[in-house]
Amino acid sequence: MTASSTRRATALRSRIAAVGAVAVAGTLVLTGCGDQTKNSNSNPTGSSSAASAPLAAKLPASIRQAGVVKVGSDIAYAPVEFKDASGKTAGLDPDLADAMGKQLGVKFEFENGTFDALLTGIRSKRYDIAMSAMTDNKSRQNGVDPDTGKKVGEGVDFVDYLTAGVSIYTRKGDTGGIATWSDLCGKKLAVERGTVSEDLAKTETKKCTGGKKITIEAFDDDQQAQTRLRSGGADAASSDFPVAAYAVKTSGGGKDFQLVGDQVEAAPYGIAVSKENTQLRDALQAAVNALIKSGEYQKILTKWGAEDGASKESVINGGK
């Protein structure tokens, strides 16, 4: 989930058709973000043993011995991470984590949590990493509140692995004249708390004239924002493009929503790691780059309709 920073708006080609081709059959079984139940990734038995894993020696000894990387994630953000019809954690991030686990000889164990509390979970050592469609930006790297500019934590390092922008969507056939962020003045917008959608709305409403401000309704997870829009309680919603496109294609069999305007704020997704844990950070980067080199990375992105955001190489702290 992207977070705010000053970047050039970027319009990218729609991937609705590709996302739809891999829509999960049946109704998704979604968990509330406050649910802290642990869940393994989509293929928990797929990780190789440390003995046969090519990059196992790069991991910190404590994690190598435990055989598990504890992952904090908001598992209600399809198609990046979500619960499938059988209740298992599925999506782009879990698939990448599973493939990384085979390189490193460990399992990646996903634990559900609210998005805006994931970095706190790293600081408290509840999680080893956060992998949750999280945008790498300077505010998060430096532990600074983007609204106030004040220091709120130590910050984290990011292992970048994908690029994604932000989109607006409305009820199908009911755009209300909304095509850009400036068109939201005088409208109600549903977003997930702590994401760039909320931050962009806060920035945009300051530009509104004639007393027409954006009414921002922020929720704990994206599913709640979608429900608000679907029920008519908001004029539009906003989320990362892969998530918005997936919602447009799958909600109500494609009859509930439609995308409006272009993608903006293209930025890297990153795996968040404590700044103290540089060995784990570097091991994760090596695993991502191994997947890119082997072609497995491209296969996973294509499966989830995210190939337009593919990276040629994983970098550390590439966000602005």
Side-chain angles (χ1 to χ4, degrees), residues 97-165:
D98 182 67
M100 291 167 65
K102 293 175 183 177
Q103 292 290 323
L104 296 166
V106 293
K107 294 180 181 179
F108 282 65
E109 186 177 79
F110 279 68
E111 183 174 338
N112 198 26
T114 52
F115 182 74
D116 58 359
L118 295 181
L119 297 187
T120 301
I122 292 176
R123 289 195 291 270
S124 68
K125 302 187 186 303
R126 181 186 186 97
Y127 316 125
D128 296 313
I129 66 174
M131 192 171 185
S132 190
M134 184 176 289
T135 294
D136 170 10
N137 60 41
K138 293 300 182 184
S139 293
R140 285 173 174 158
Q141 291 172 24
N142 298 326
V144 172
D145 185 315
D147 290 332
T148 65
K150 294 181 179 179
K151 188 82 170 175
V152 293
E154 310 85 46
V156 293
D157 283 338
F158 285 98
V159 178
D160 295 346
Y161 63 98
L162 182 73
T163 298

Side-chain angles (χ1 to χ4, degrees), residues 228-250:
R228 184 64 167 168
L229 175 61
R230 191 183 296 110
S231 68
D235 298 297
S238 176
S239 58
D240 292 0
F241 171 74
V243 177
Y246 190 87
V248 166
K249 186 64 181 181
T250 61

Side-chain angles (χ1 to χ4, degrees), residues 1-240:
M1 298 151 205
T2 44
S4 63
S5 62
T6 302
R7 287 186 290 275
R8 177 171 53 87
T10 305
L12 299 176
R13 178 169 58 89
S14 173
R15 297 298 305 176
I16 299 176
V19 175
V22 295
V24 175
T27 304
L28 300 181
V29 181
L30 297 169
T31 62
C33 281
D35 176 11
Q36 298 298 325
T37 303
K38 291 183 180 180
N39 294 281
S40 60
N41 63 32
S42 57
N43 184 15
T45 61
S47 297
S48 302
S49 66
S52 61
L55 300 177
K58 291 184 174 292
L59 284 170
S62 58
I63 290 180
R64 189 166 64 248
Q65 292 166 6
V68 173
V69 175
K70 295 180 291 183
V71 185
S73 186
D74 169 18
I75 311 174
Y77 211 59
V80 187
E81 47 259 321
F82 61 97
K83 293 297 184 68
D84 66 15
S86 67
K88 292 182 179 179
T89 301
L92 188 153
D93 277 356
D95 278 2
L96 282 175
D98 182 67
M100 291 167 65
K102 293 175 183 177
Q103 292 290 323
L104 296 166
V106 293
K107 294 180 181 179
F108 282 65
E109 186 177 79
F110 279 68
E111 183 174 338
N112 198 26
T114 52
F115 182 74
D116 58 359
L118 295 181
L119 297 187
T120 301
I122 292 176
R123 289 195 291 270
S124 68
K125 302 187 186 303
R126 181 186 186 97
Y127 316 125
D128 296 313
I129 66 174
M131 192 171 185
S132 190
M134 184 176 289
T135 294
D136 170 10
N137 60 41
K138 293 300 182 184
S139 293
R140 285 173 174 158
Q141 291 172 24
N142 298 326
V144 172
D145 185 315
D147 290 332
T148 65
K150 294 181 179 179
K151 188 82 170 175
V152 293
E154 310 85 46
V156 293
D157 283 338
F158 285 98
V159 178
D160 295 346
Y161 63 98
L162 182 73
T163 298
V166 178
S167 293
I168 303 169
Y169 58 102
T170 66
R171 289 182 298 280
K172 196 163 189 175
D174 184 18
T175 67
I178 298 169
T180 67
W181 280 86
S182 61
D183 296 328
L184 290 169
C185 295
K187 308 286 189 181
K188 290 183 180 180
L189 179 70
V191 298
E192 179 172 358
R193 187 175 295 107
T195 63
V196 73
S197 297
E198 182 181 21
D199 293 336
L200 281 175
K202 289 178 180 177
T203 299
E204 194 63 43
T205 196
K206 295 176 183 177
K207 304 175 186 176
C208 293
T209 60
K212 293 183 177 181
K213 301 296 184 181
I214 301 172
T215 300
I216 305 166
E217 297 192 342
F219 297 90
D220 283 343
D221 65 54
D222 195 69
Q223 293 300 317
Q224 293 174 15
Q226 290 182 29
T227 298
R228 184 64 167 168
L229 175 61
R230 191 183 296 110
S231 68
D235 298 297
S238 176
S239 58
D240 292 0

